[in-house]
Amino acid sequence: MALRVTFFLRRCHWLNLPGAALMVMLQRLPALRVMATAEDLIVTSPAGAVLRSALMAVGSLGTLHSLAGATRFVSSPSSPISGTVGTALAFGFSVTGAQTPAGSYRVTGTLPPGLALIGGTSGIVNATTGTISGTPTVAGSYLVSIRAYENRNATGDAYGPLNVVFNITGGAPTPPTIATQPADQTANAGTSVTLQVVASGTPTPSVQWQRNGVDLAIAPAATLTLANFMPADTGLYAATLANASGSVATQTAIVGVQSLNKLVGTGQEFPDIYHVVTGFTYDQILLGGAAASVTADPGQILRMSFIDLNDDIVQVEFSGAGTLSLVLDGVTGPAAPLNYLQGTAYMKGHAGIVLAGANETTNLSVFSVGRANAVNQALFRPEVAYDGFADIAFIAISTTNGKFGGLRAANTGFFGTRGMTGVYAPNVQFTGPVFVHNIDASADATPVLKIGSGGDVRITGGNLFQTNGRAVQVSGIAALQFTAGASSHGTLFSAQANQARLEQDGANVTARIVVNPAP
C-alpha cells in the first residue's frame, strides 16, 4: 500500500490538492523516503512539495510514521561501488519500512562483465531482497538502475529507482592456476556426467574442454556436463585455461561407462564359444558401430573384434570386474577384411579403450589375428605382408579399489597424432604384468606410460622412439625393461635399446628406470 502512494502523487502532480485532503490520506499511509542514493524522491515534483509541507503541518498530531519507520531503499555497500578485476564482489539491496514488502526487482543498465543478478531472469528477480555478485573481468565504470515492485515479475506499483555506479579497476595480471582438477567419472549409459575445474587468474581465464585431445564445440565454462552419456562419450577429458598472462592444462580425467548389460551399443554377440587351444570359454562381440561398452560374464572371457588402420583383425579380450568401452576414431564399415579370406563384415578405425569399474580380478589383452595364434590357417592370403600388430590409440583404466590384474599388450603398438597415446592408469596398482610392444607419438600427441605401480613392466620389441621428439610421460615404474617381442605371425623382434627421454612430473627419470638389453 505504501508503494501506491508514491505513484498516486506522481500521477496527480498537476493538481493543487488542499492540505485537508492530504491530511486525510496521510492519516492512513506512511511517509515515503528513498535512501542510499542521496536523492529524496519526495521533493522531485509539485505534489511532493505539497506533501512535504503537509508532513510538517500535521507531524505534531501523531498520525504519521517517523523517519525511523519510513520506507527506504537500502543497499550494501552504498554507491559508488569500487571493485577490482579478478576479485569477488557482492552488492545487496532491499526495501525496508513498507507496509507491503517489495515482491520483485528489475535491474537495468550495464552490469560489469563477470557480475550477475543472482536468481534473476532477464533482469528481474522475484524476491524481497536482491543480490548482484560475481568476479569482475573487465575494468570500467558501469551504471545500473534498480526498481522495486509491489508484486512478482515486476508488476504492480514501482519504487525507485536506486541508481548504482560500479567502478571497476584492472587488477594485476596473473596467469591461470588450478585449485581443483577434474576427477575420473564412471556412469551408467543414458545418465548425466559432470566434470568441473576450479581455477583463478587475472583476467579470469577462459576454459576450453577437450576429449581425446580434440576441442569440444561447447561454450567455455568451468563445468562440463555430458547429458545422456553413452559409449561414444567415453574417453580422456581435460581442459586448457588461458588468459593474457598465460595458459595451463588440467590433469586428464578418465570417463567411462559402468553397466551390468553384456552389450551397450551396436554389435552382435556370439555366446559361449569354447576355444580348443586355450581351453577358455568366450563371449564374442562383433562391433557393429563406432562405439560399444561390454561386460564379461563371471568365469568367462569377453572378446570384441574390429579392424585396425593397418587392416589387421584386432581382438580385445577382458575378464573380471568392470565395463570395457571401445570407441573407433575415423570409423568405416562394416565391410569384409581386405587381408583375410573371411566373409565377416567388420568395423574399421583407430581404437581408444576405456576400462572402468575394474579391480584386481580384471585382466585385459589386445592382439592382432595372425598365423601364430589363429586356429583357422585358411584365413590368410599368401600374397599379403601382414603388419602383425594391433594398432590402437590408448588404453585408459580406472578401478574401484586402486588395483588391477594384468595388461598384456605385447602385440600392440600405440600411436596417435593428438591427445594421449599409450597406457594411462596413473592411480592403479597392477598385480600382474604390464606388457607393451611400443608407443609412438606424432604431431600434437603426448606419449604416456602412466600407472600407479607395477612390478613387471616391459617394452617388448620396441624402442619408444618418438616421431615428434616429445618425452614419454611415466609414473609408478621402478624398472622399465626392454625385452624381445613377436608379431602375431611369429616374426621375432630382438630387444632394442631405449630411444626416448622419460619424464615424471617434469624430471628426467630415464637413467633411473630404464633397463636396456645386455649388449
Side-chain angles (χ1 to χ4, degrees):
M1 185 64 73
L3 299 179
R4 294 193 179 100
V5 175
T6 301
F7 266 77
F8 179 83
L9 293 176
R10 289 177 177 171
R11 292 164 184 165
C12 301
H13 70 276
W14 47 271
L15 294 175
N16 184 14
L17 295 179
L22 286 172
M23 290 179 63
V24 172
M25 294 170 58
L26 292 169
Q27 287 175 346
R28 301 174 59 190
L29 302 173
L32 304 180
R33 185 173 180 85
V34 181
M35 301 296 290
T37 63
E39 180 182 358
D40 193 342
L41 294 183
I42 294 176
V43 298
T44 60
S45 68
V50 174
L51 177 58
R52 184 178 61 177
S53 299
L55 291 174
M56 297 174 62
V58 301
S60 61
L61 299 179
T63 59
L64 301 177
H65 289 269
S66 69
L67 288 180
T71 303
R72 300 167 181 248
F73 225 144
V74 179
S75 69
S76 179
S78 298
S79 179
I81 300 169
S82 298
T84 304
V85 170
T87 301
L89 178 64
F91 167 73
F93 51 90
S94 64
V95 171
T96 64
Q99 289 181 338
T100 302
S104 62
Y105 296 89
R106 183 192 295 275
V107 177
T108 58
T110 303
L111 283 173
L115 298 189
L117 176 63
I118 303 304
T121 302
S122 299
I124 297 174
V125 61
N126 291 311
T128 57
T129 61
T131 302
I132 294 172
S133 67
T135 302
T137 59
V138 180
S141 183
Y142 305 88
L143 176 62
V144 173
S145 183
I146 306 170
R147 288 185 181 272
Y149 289 83
E150 183 181 17
N151 303 319
R152 291 172 59 85
N153 300 319
T155 60
D157 290 345
Y159 188 62
L162 173 65
N163 294 317
V164 182
V165 175
F166 291 86
N167 292 321
I168 307 300
T169 58
T174 58
T177 57
I178 300 173
T180 303
Q181 300 279 356
D184 292 350
Q185 301 286 328
T186 302
N188 293 324
T191 60
S192 179
V193 172
T194 299
L195 295 167
Q196 186 175 36
V197 58
V198 177
S200 61
T202 304
T204 300
S206 63
V207 181
Q208 175 61 64
W209 288 93
Q210 298 100 21
R211 173 183 170 272
N212 299 339
V214 179
D215 288 349
L216 298 179
I218 59 173
T223 299
L224 172 65
T225 300
L226 305 172
N228 192 28
F229 179 68
M230 297 301 288
D233 299 313
T234 61
L236 300 173
Y237 285 79
T240 299
L241 296 93
N243 63 14
S245 299
S247 64
V248 63
T250 68
Q251 294 178 0
T252 299
I254 301 172
V255 181
V257 168
Q258 184 172 352
S259 176
L260 297 177
N261 296 325
K262 177 68 65 64
L263 171 65
V264 179
T266 304
Q268 183 178 2
E269 179 185 2
F270 301 89
D272 301 328
I273 299 174
Y274 179 76
H275 199 289
V276 295
V277 175
T278 64
F280 294 126
T281 300
Y282 296 81
D283 285 336
Q284 178 81 42
I285 302 292
L286 178 62
L287 185 65
S293 297
V294 293
T295 304
D297 287 335
Q300 288 191 342
I301 297 173
L302 190 140
R303 172 188 286 172
M304 186 154 45
S305 304
F306 68 98
I307 301 288
D308 68 17
L309 295 182
N310 287 313
D311 290 310
D312 283 314
I313 296 176
V314 174
Q315 306 282 22
V316 178
E317 297 182 351
F318 95 102
S319 61
T323 300
L324 184 146
S325 298
L326 187 148
V327 181
L328 294 180
D329 189 24
V331 64
T332 59
L338 295 177
N339 290 348
Y340 297 81
L341 296 170
Q342 188 183 51
T344 304
Y346 292 89
M347 301 303 296
K348 177 179 177 179
H350 198 42
I353 296 172
V354 174
L355 183 48
N359 60 28
E360 66 271 22
T361 69
T362 313
N363 287 275
L364 173 63
S365 299
V366 182
F367 57 93
S368 70
V369 175
R371 293 183 178 90
N373 58 21
V375 174
N376 182 10
Q377 294 296 306
L379 287 172
F380 306 100
R381 298 178 181 272
E383 74 278 10
V384 172
Y386 288 91
D387 171 67
F389 290 93
D391 299 297
I392 68 174
F394 66 84
I395 293 174
I397 299 172
S398 64
T399 69
T400 58
N401 61 357
K403 296 181 180 180
F404 192 81
L407 171 62
R408 295 166 176 86
N411 183 239
T412 303
F414 296 83
F415 70 85
T417 59
R418 59 178 184 263
M420 289 184 176
T421 185
V423 177
Y424 188 70
N427 301 309
V428 178
Q429 175 189 352
F430 285 79
T431 58
V434 178
F435 296 161
V436 171
H437 167 58
N438 203 26
I439 301 169
D440 183 12
S442 59
D444 293 326
T446 298
V448 294
L449 185 52
K450 286 194 167 189
I451 62 175
S453 63
D456 188 1
V457 185
R458 304 183 194 179
I459 300 298
T460 56
N463 58 23
L464 291 186
F465 174 82
Q466 301 303 307
T467 300
N468 62 10
R470 293 187 177 180
V472 180
Q473 303 301 309
V474 300
S475 67
I477 303 173
L480 180 60
Q481 303 178 66
F482 284 73
T483 64
S487 75
S488 61
H489 293 275
T491 302
L492 298 179
F493 290 81
S494 300
Q496 300 186 57
N498 171 57
Q499 294 189 35
R501 173 187 170 97
L502 309 182
E503 289 185 354
Q504 181 168 345
D505 299 326
N508 185 350
V509 296
T510 309
R512 177 167 62 85
I513 70 172
V514 166
V515 181
N516 281 314

